[in-house]
Amino acid sequence: MTVMDEWVTAACAELGLDAVEVPVPVVLDLARDVAHQVLRPGAPVTAYLLGLAVGRGAEPAAAAARLGELAATWPVELGGPPSD
């Protein structure tokens, strides 16, 4: 078990959640994309927004994909990556 697995398991137990339902790779990929393509502090806020959406019934992978696509197309003048 990795430290991440241990943390997620402990955090889920604290919040009364099932750790099996946490799509860790999906959340980490989204956080990476936002941190690199928009701005670093946007990563944890976006992860929180993803959690809110999922809590309201959104499918995790689909919601993360939508947010990832938004981050990928974020304009340079608003802090996004330079285009080729």
Side-chain angles (χ1 to χ4, degrees), residues 7-55:
W7 168 251
V8 170
T9 299
C12 284
E14 189 69 25
L15 298 173
L17 301 172
D18 183 354
V20 174
E21 296 178 10
V22 180
V24 172
V26 170
V27 175
L28 292 177
D29 287 347
L30 175 60
R32 179 202 59 224
D33 292 346
V34 171
H36 291 203
Q37 297 172 3
V38 182
L39 77 159
R40 288 195 190 287
V45 173
T46 303
Y48 177 79
L49 295 173
L50 176 64
L52 285 177
V54 170

